[in-house]
């Protein structure tokens, strides 16, 4: 009789699932945290990309309304910096290049100005293994120069 009770107790212990929830949580919880961090990194990259697109468009439009290449370059850099700051984007490094060839086209002909904004985003604050410490995003936009506006010679 005593031996039957011991065998029954031992069988219950072997079949019991006490502690399995803790083990499952220990396995799943890090994966969930990693997935959340990846989603945050992806979201940050996508939204920042859209904001950098807007900054490039602002820079191109601002450059297209100036008459000289030097003024266009200066205005484009200021417009891109203002746009990025206004949208809450903090770049570790930023560069703005402007192709002002369209400003030299004679009046009555179509000319375009192209601005390229490059921004390096910091991702190291996410502390996620496998995610690079920074991501460089580049956006290019083109704006048409007014067809009948006087051009500098």
């Amino acid at each position: 009789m005593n031996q039957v009770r011991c065998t029954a107790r031992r069988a219950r212990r072997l079949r019991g699932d006490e502690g399995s929830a803790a083990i499952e949580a220990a396995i799943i919880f890090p994966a969930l945290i990693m997935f959340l961090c990846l989603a945050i990194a992806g979201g940050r990259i996508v939204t920042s990309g859209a904001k950098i697109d807007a900054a490039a468009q602002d820079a191109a439009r601002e450059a297209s309304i100036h008459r000289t290449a030097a003024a266009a370059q200066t205005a484009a850099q200021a417009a891109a910096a203002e746009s990025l700051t206004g949208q809450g984007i903090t770049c570790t490094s930023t560069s703005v290049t402007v192709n002002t060839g369209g400003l030299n086209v004679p009046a009555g002909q179509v000319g375009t100005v192209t601005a390229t904004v490059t921004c390096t985003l910091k991702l190291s604050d996410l502390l996620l293994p496998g995610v690079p410490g920074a991501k460089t995003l580049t956006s290019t936009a083109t704006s048409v120069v007014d067809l009948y506006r006087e051009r500098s010679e």
Side-chain angles (χ1 to χ4, degrees):
M1 175 93 166
N2 202 9
Q3 187 177 17
V4 173
R5 268 193 246 156
C6 287
T7 305
R9 226 178 299 154
R10 197 174 307 142
R12 269 185 292 193
R13 267 191 297 196
L14 292 176
R15 283 183 287 168
D17 59 356
E18 294 113 15
S20 64
I23 292 172
E24 289 172 6
I27 292 171
I28 292 175
F29 186 69
L32 288 175
I33 294 296
M34 198 168 195
F35 178 74
L36 178 66
C37 288
L38 279 173
I40 290 170
R44 185 181 294 179
I45 289 169
V46 168
T47 58
S48 296
K51 291 176 181 180
I52 292 167
D53 289 345
Q57 186 61 45
D58 291 346
R61 181 65 192 135
E62 189 65 29
S64 73
I65 61 175
H66 285 78
R67 298 188 193 285
T68 65
Q73 180 71 35
T74 303
Q77 288 177 339
E82 183 180 334
S83 179
L84 291 171
T85 302
Q87 296 181 72
I89 299 292
T90 305
C91 301
T92 56
S93 68
T94 307
S95 78
V96 179
T97 56
V98 182
N99 179 351
T100 57
L103 295 177
N104 299 326
V105 175
Q109 293 181 8
V110 176
T112 60
V113 174
T114 303
T116 301
V117 177
T118 302
C119 172
T120 302
L121 295 173
K122 185 174 120 180
L123 298 175
S124 60
D125 57 341
L126 294 177
L127 301 173
L128 183 64
V131 173
K135 174 81 173 161
T136 301
L137 301 174
T138 301
S139 181
T140 301
T142 301
S143 184
V144 176
V145 177
D146 185 11
L147 189 64
Y148 299 106
R149 190 190 75 191
E150 177 185 348
R151 311 269 178 23
S152 65
E153 298 296 326

